[in-house]
Amino acid sequence: MLELKHVSFEVSDEKEQKDIIRDISLTIDEKKFVVITGPNGGGKSTLAKLIVGIEHPTSGRIYFDGEDITDKSITERANMGISFAFQQPVRFKGIQVLDLLRMASGKRLNASDACEYLSEVGLCAKDYINREVNASLSGGELKRIEIATVLARGTRLSVFDEPEAGIDLWSFQNLIQVFERMQERTGDGSILIISHQERILNIADEIIVIGDGQIIRQGAREEVLPQLLGTASAVDVCNKFYQGGKQS
C-alpha cells in the first residue's frame, strides 16, 4: 500500500542545516493498524506530513498502491485515498458540521447519516450537526468532529497525528473504541497513528519507533511493545529506548 524509499527531509536557516528525517525506508501493508512512536522532536509528525503531502522530501520517493506520489499535492493524495487528522484540528468559520461531513464524504449526506458519524465519536448529534466549526467549539470537540470526517471519507489510508491530544479521559476511552471499529471495517485499508499512548500502542498490529529522524525499531506489537513498557511514560520509555538503540 504505502512505501517510503530512502526518504530524507532537511530544513535550513541562516545558521545551519538540520536533518529532520534521515534516509527512512518503510512499508505499510494493506489491512494494518500501525502506530509510530518515539521521543519528542524525533521526526514523527514530520514523517506524517511527508506521507500526506504537507511537506516534500529533500530526497527519496514515496509510493502509494505502487504509484509514485512524491510530487503529488495534498489534494491529489486525498483523491487517491489518503486522509489526515491534524494534532491541532483546523477551524472553519462559517461552515457547519453537517457541511464539513458532506464535503469529507463527497456525498450529499442527509442529517441522519451525518449524525451516525458524530455518534460514533461520542457527540450528541442534535447538539452539533448545525454548529459552526469555529472558536465556539473546544479542542476536544474539534478533535472528535475531525475524526468523524475521516470516518465519513472511508479512505484507504487514514493518518492521525496524536489523536489523543486535547481529549478528556472519557473521550479517550471512546476514541480507542472508534479505532478498534475502524480497524474491523477498513477492508483492505490501513490506519497509521502517531502516538505515545500505551492503550493505542496496545491495539496496533505493528509499531515503528523513530528517534533523531531514523527508524530505531520496527516490528509486530508483540515484539516491540514489551521493550517500550516499564517506565512512567511512553515519552520517557522512547527517550531511554532511543538512547539504547543509538548506542547499539
Side-chain angles (χ1 to χ4, degrees), residues 65-170:
D65 285 339
E67 183 175 348
D68 190 337
I69 63 170
T70 310
D71 298 318
K72 291 189 180 297
S73 67
I74 300 172
T75 301
E76 289 174 317
R77 297 184 199 204
N79 289 335
M80 292 177 69
I82 299 176
S83 294
F84 183 57
F86 290 88
Q87 183 175 346
Q88 299 295 329
V90 179
R91 300 175 190 271
F92 299 94
K93 186 177 180 179
I95 296 179
Q96 294 183 332
V97 172
L98 176 58
D99 297 326
L100 189 63
L101 288 168
R102 283 173 172 169
M103 286 187 287
S105 69
K107 303 173 184 176
R108 184 67 181 176
L109 293 179
N110 58 40
S112 177
D113 293 332
C115 285
E116 287 188 20
Y117 293 118
L118 292 173
S119 297
E120 285 225 37
V121 295
L123 294 176
C124 180
K126 65 181 179 64
D127 294 335
Y128 289 91
I129 195 73
N130 295 316
R131 292 273 300 274
E132 281 194 21
V133 189
N134 59 20
S136 69
L137 296 168
S138 70
E141 289 171 326
L142 283 168
K143 177 73 73 171
R144 285 189 273 175
I145 289 169
E146 184 181 47
I147 293 170
T149 65
V150 175
L151 293 173
R153 289 204 68 210
T155 46
R156 293 257 294 137
L157 178 64
S158 300
V159 182
F160 298 86
D161 188 2
E162 296 197 23
E164 68 274 9
I167 295 283
D168 57 70
L169 180 60
W170 181 89

Side-chain angles (χ1 to χ4, degrees), residues 9 20-21 42-51 55 161 194:
F9 177 73
I20 308 297
I21 298 295
K44 304 181 302 298
S45 292
T46 299
L47 184 62
K49 291 175 182 178
L50 288 167
I51 290 170
E55 301 286 4
D161 188 2
I194 310 296

